[in-house]
């Protein structure tokens, strides 16, 4: 199993990507002023989002070896992330309340009295640890899905808008057909036929999610195609491919950013629903909520599991929603209408 | 008008054909009939049993048309069954699917119609109010509350309200259903309230945007300039002219009332179509799932046609030709 190496590689690529983006943003007046005004409007939301991303990155860097705190030898031979190492081996046997010194039922002593800030779940795992690990899953769902859906939507949207004719007819038919299938039902059908896995969930979310952005980028391309600078480029003999990459695509970038942020929260919330239906991604907050739903009917009730995962989910979605709103105001003065 | 309706219906039919093709790809090629049989029977059954199961459930034909067999294959069979509403039997428990759908529709409608009407009655006046106080603290607080409400997962609404109202306050039963209308009100009250609360944030934000866009138009300024009161402007000018974008959202939602709400129904034990779908997911019941997606899509296409026709009713500028 070399999956931790892939994960490390992705972290590295992301860090390089971030550095390249910062460099590009600083060079462009438009983007740097947009960022500055976003920072002034939504400082807190940006910081909260950054914390989630930071936790997710810490959970993505993993390596084999080092000492095992709990003293179990199995974990010595598997890759563990930074987060795993911080919480290494803090395993109990059953429920315990936040900061408790004894087990919740029965009152036996804990191995780490007072060490579980948010308590432990049914099989004694630290809830704070699980909640932190959920950040990586949530960002993976949002990120991977957008990585599939947005290029797909751009490809279809731009070619339909720019070339028109038959291509437009085909793309338009494809969009209408997919848009005519109720989102949640199509999502379920896709995951059921592909089998339950993280990739299947992301592909299914992408298939149901790309249509909205495809429609936006097609419309915008239709508008751009008629503008003077595109006509000028065509008159000067610039190739079609260069017109698309140099003149059309950069003018769609602000829509890409806005769509990415606005889509993100919807994707994470959809995954929570899928988890509840039993076809979500392992380790997500949705799954924690699903596992905790019967805990409220216990007596005395176990509330920390659902409170922790629910609050973590709410915090991320809220921060991203606020950033998305402000981003839309900053980047698109005409304000794209709600796509609902 | 007549020609337009016919053309619109024609395009709807093409879309339904596309939907059916996509369903065929998903449910017959991505997951083959053999996979479905093995999921229903278990992995370790002899091939003869799998073949017999496929014959019993009507999966025993070649998938695609071949020379000499243009009519006798799964693709043609799939279109024929779906278009004639001959949905066959469930892959999991052999019950006739059409029968189940007929039974499930009533409970679904009992939940979704009051939910739909109540949502409109709550969200539109609130959005009008927020838009009326635009650029004041009421407006800003309204928008922030709407974003807060939108950021809560529907699961938390359901679990939280079920706990608070059902368990702590004991106002309503936690879950269940009854065919007696007087009893069922008590079962439905809580899911309906949760459904309204869950959609409220997004609805208010959407309607507010629509109303604000309309209040920035020239004729609204003219009305204000000639001394029209703000209340009158909101109700007579802004609201009536916002009907087109409102209809797009509202009429499209009507057909979905039949398919019910997946989450609310299964959480509150309401035996509607949403609960049937959730059972189908848990039981790997592909034929039921396929049928539900098809019915949902069919209703959506109908909804879109209704929307286009309703434009003509509210806006004399829209001519159907």
């Amino acid at each position: 199993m070399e999956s931790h190496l892939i994960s490390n590689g992705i972290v590295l690529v992301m860090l390089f990507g971030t550095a390249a983006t910062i460099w590009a943003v600083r060079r462009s007046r438009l983007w740097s002023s947009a960022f500055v005004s976003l920072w002034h409007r939504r400082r807190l939301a940006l910081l909260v989002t950054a914390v989630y991303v930071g936790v997710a990155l810490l959970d993505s860097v993993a390596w084999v070896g080092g000492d095992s705190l709990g003293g179990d030898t199995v974990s010595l031979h598997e890759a563990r992330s930074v987060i795993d190492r911080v919480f290494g081996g803090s395993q109990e046997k059953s429920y315990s309340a936040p900061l408790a010194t004894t087990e919740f039922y029965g009152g036996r002593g804990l191995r780490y009295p007072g060490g579980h800030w948010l308590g432990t779940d049914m099989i004694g795992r630290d809830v704070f640890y699980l909640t932190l690990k959920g950040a990586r899953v949530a960002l993976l769902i949002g990120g991977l899905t957008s990585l599939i859906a947005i290029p797909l939507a751009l490809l279809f949207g731009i070619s339909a808008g720019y070339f028109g004719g038959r291509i437009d007819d085909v793309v338009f038919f494809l969009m209408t057909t997919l848009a005519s299938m109720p989102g949640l039902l199509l999502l379920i059908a896709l995951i059921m036929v592909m089998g339950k896995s993280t990739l299947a969930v992301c592909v299914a979310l992408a298939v149901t999610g790309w249509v909205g952005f495809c429609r936006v980028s097609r419309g915008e391309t239709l508008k751009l195609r008629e503008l003077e600078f595109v006509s000028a480029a065509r008159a000067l003999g610039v190739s079609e491919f260069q017109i698309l990459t140099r003149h059309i695509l950069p003018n769609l970038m602000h829509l890409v950013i806005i769509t990415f942020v606005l889509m993100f929260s919807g994707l994470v919330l959809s995954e929570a629903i899928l988890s509840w239906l039993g076809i979500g991604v392992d380790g997500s907050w949705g799954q924690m909520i699903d596992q905790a739903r019967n805990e409220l009917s216990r007596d005395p009730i176990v509330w920390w599991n659902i409170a922790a995962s629910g609050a973590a989910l709410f915090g991320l979605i809220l921060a991203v929603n606020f950033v998305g709103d402000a981003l839309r105001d900053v980047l698109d003065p005409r304000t794209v209408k709600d796509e609902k | 008008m007549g020609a337009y309706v016919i053309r619109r219906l024609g395009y709807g039919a093409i879309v339904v054909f596309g939907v059916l093709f996509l369903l065929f790809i998903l449910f017959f090629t991505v997951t083959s009939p053999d996979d479905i049989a093995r999921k229903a029977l278990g992995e370790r059954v002899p091939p003869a049993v799998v073949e017999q199961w496929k014959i019993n459930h009507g999966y025993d034909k070649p998938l695609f048309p071949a020379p000499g067999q243009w009519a006798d294959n799964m693709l043609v069979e799939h279109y024929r069954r779906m278009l004639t509403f001959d949905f066959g039997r469930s892959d999991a428990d052999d019950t006739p699917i059409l029968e189940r759908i007929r039974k499930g529709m009533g409970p679904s409608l009992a939940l979704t119609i009051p939910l739909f009407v109540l949502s409109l009655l709550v969200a539109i006046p609130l959005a009008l109010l927020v838009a009326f106080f635009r650029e004041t603290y009421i407006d800003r607080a309204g928008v922030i509350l709407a974003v807060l409400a939108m950021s809560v997962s529907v699961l938390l609404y359901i679990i939280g309200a079920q706990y608070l109202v059902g368990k702590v306050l004991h106002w309503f039963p936690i879950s269940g259903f009854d065919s007696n209308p007087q009893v069922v009100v008590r079962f439905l009250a809580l899911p309906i309230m949760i459904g309204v609360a869950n959609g409220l944030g997004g609805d208010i934000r959407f309607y507010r945007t629509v109303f604000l866009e309309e209040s920035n138009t020239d004729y609204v300024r003219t009305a204000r300039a000639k001394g029209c009161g703000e209340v009158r402007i909101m109700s007579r000018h802004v609201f009536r002219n916002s009907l087109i974008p409102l209809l797009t959202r509202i009429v499209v939602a009507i057909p979905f009332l039949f398919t019910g709400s997946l989450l609310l129904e299964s959480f509150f034990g309401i035996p509607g179509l949403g609960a049937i779908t959730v059972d189908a997911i848990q039981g790997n019941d592909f034929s039921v799932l396929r049928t539900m997606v098809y019915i949902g899509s069919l209703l959506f296409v109908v909804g879109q046609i209704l929307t286009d026709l309703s434009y003509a009713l509210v806006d004399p500028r829209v001519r159907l030709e």
Side-chain angles (χ1 to χ4, degrees), chain A residues 263-283:
Chain A
M263 206 165 117
F264 186 92
S265 51
L267 293 174
V268 178
L269 285 179
S270 301
E271 195 280 335
I273 294 176
L274 291 176
S275 280
W276 189 82
L277 295 171
I279 49 180
V281 178
D282 279 342

Side-chain angles (χ1 to χ4, degrees), chain B residues 134-135 211-221 238:
Chain B
R134 63 189 164 274
E135 280 152 43
F211 293 144
L212 280 189
E213 213 154 272
E214 206 58 45
S215 18
N216 290 330
T217 48
D218 288 339
Y219 71 87
V220 172
R221 201 171 44 187
V238 173

Side-chain angles (χ1 to χ4, degrees), chain A residues 172-173 176-182 184-185 188-190 192-193 269 272-273 276-277 279 289 293 296-297 301 306 310 313-314 317-318 321-322 325 328 337-338 340, chain B residues 11 14-15 18-19 22 26-27 30-31 148 151-156 159 163 167 205-206 213 249 256 262-263 266-267 277-278 281-282 284 289 292-293 296-297 300:
Chain A
F172 198 79
F173 175 68
T176 327
T177 305
L178 276 175
S180 300
M181 306 174 79
L184 191 54
L185 283 175
I188 293 165
L190 283 165
M192 291 299 285
V193 298
L269 285 179
I273 294 176
W276 189 82
L277 295 171
I279 49 180
I289 295 174
R293 68 180 135 135
L296 288 183
S297 45
I301 66 160
I306 194 164
L313 181 64
F314 175 67
I317 302 298
L318 188 64
N321 274 345
F322 272 129
D325 263 11
R328 184 163 53 176
K337 264 192 220 158
D338 257 17
K340 264 204 173 172
Chain B
Y11 194 70
I14 295 174
V15 170
V19 167
L22 194 71
L26 288 180
F27 285 94
V30 179
T31 307
L148 279 172
S151 304
V152 179
S153 167
V154 59
L155 301 178
L156 292 179
I159 298 175
Y163 175 71
K167 268 207 80 188
R205 223 164 69 122
F206 175 81
E213 213 154 272
R249 195 183 171 91
F256 285 105
L262 243 55
L263 292 177
S266 60
F267 247 105
T277 314
V278 174
I281 298 168
Q282 258 118 39
N284 280 320
L289 207 56
M292 297 310 288
V293 181
S297 311
F300 191 81

Side-chain angles (χ1 to χ4, degrees), chain B residues 2-319:
Chain B
Y4 175 82
V5 173
I6 288 169
R7 227 189 39 223
R8 194 66 194 73
L9 286 174
Y11 194 70
I14 295 174
V15 170
V16 170
F17 259 75
V19 167
L20 282 176
F21 189 71
L22 194 71
L23 283 180
F24 182 79
I25 299 280
L26 288 180
F27 285 94
F28 288 89
T29 63
V30 179
T31 307
S32 68
D34 284 291
D35 296 335
I36 298 175
R38 291 203 185 278
K39 281 214 169 104
L41 297 167
E43 286 297 327
R44 308 212 282 158
V45 285
V49 179
V50 172
E51 289 307 316
Q52 188 57 46
W53 187 90
K54 276 161 71 181
I55 292 171
N56 291 347
H57 288 82
Y59 287 113
D60 54 330
K61 291 174 183 166
L63 285 182
F64 290 103
Q69 272 189 317
W70 296 115
D72 195 29
N73 53 63
M74 290 314 301
L75 183 62
V76 174
E77 189 70 10
H78 168 68
Y79 273 93
R80 189 191 62 73
R81 284 186 202 154
M82 288 293 171
L83 291 174
T84 55
F85 292 100
D86 170 18
F87 299 131
R89 287 163 181 280
S90 145
D91 283 345
D93 58 11
D94 281 339
T95 51
I97 296 176
L98 199 61
E99 187 66 22
R100 283 174 78 175
I101 290 174
R102 205 169 286 148
K103 272 190 200 145
M105 223 170 237
S108 275
L109 286 174
L111 170 68
T112 47
I113 288 180
L115 175 58
F116 176 73
V117 175
L118 219 66
S119 291
L120 288 180
L121 289 182
V122 175
I124 290 182
L126 279 178
L128 269 174
L129 192 77
V130 174
F132 180 77
F133 289 107
R134 63 189 164 274
E135 280 152 43
T136 65
Y137 280 105
I138 296 178
D139 178 32
R140 295 195 56 171
V143 172
I144 290 175
L145 280 178
V147 176
L148 279 172
M150 280 168 65
S151 304
V152 179
S153 167
V154 59
L155 301 178
L156 292 179
Y157 276 117
I158 296 177
I159 298 175
Q162 205 173 30
Y163 175 71
L164 196 72
V165 181
K167 268 207 80 188
V168 178
L169 301 172
H170 293 291
W171 286 354
F172 301 110
I174 289 176
S175 79
F177 196 76
D178 199 289
S179 49
N180 181 355
Q182 276 170 341
V183 183
V184 87
V185 171
R186 286 180 50 76
F187 282 115
L188 289 177
L190 188 54
I192 288 173
M193 283 184 337
I194 293 171
V196 172
N198 180 47
L200 204 57
D203 282 349
I204 289 183
R205 223 164 69 122
F206 175 81
Y207 297 136
R208 174 186 166 271
T209 318
V210 171
F211 293 144
L212 280 189
E213 213 154 272
E214 206 58 45
S215 18
N216 290 330
T217 48
D218 288 339
Y219 71 87
V220 172
R221 201 171 44 187
T222 311
R224 199 167 289 140
K226 71 177 191 192
C228 232
E230 279 294 322
V231 175
R232 194 181 156 85
I233 289 177
M234 278 321 255
S235 60
R236 296 293 289 272
H237 296 267
V238 173
F239 179 69
R240 291 181 63 165
N241 282 294
S242 306
L243 278 175
I244 281 237
L246 292 194
L247 275 179
T248 321
R249 195 183 171 91
I250 295 167
V251 181
V252 162
I254 291 177
F256 285 105
L257 301 180
F258 290 94
T259 50
S261 161
L262 243 55
L263 292 177
L264 288 175
E265 282 181 17
S266 60
F267 247 105
F268 288 96
I270 299 162
L273 296 186
I276 292 177
T277 314
V278 174
D279 289 345
I281 298 168
Q282 258 118 39
N284 280 320
D285 199 339
F286 287 87
S287 58
V288 170
L289 207 56
R290 188 167 63 218
T291 311
M292 297 310 288
V293 181
Y294 169 61
I295 289 181
S297 311
L298 203 62
L299 291 170
F300 191 81
V301 172
V302 172
Q304 278 174 323
I305 297 174
L306 287 180
T307 313
D308 285 354
L309 297 182
S310 66
Y311 284 166
L313 294 178
V314 293
D315 191 345
R317 285 171 304 178
V318 177
R319 279 207 203 92

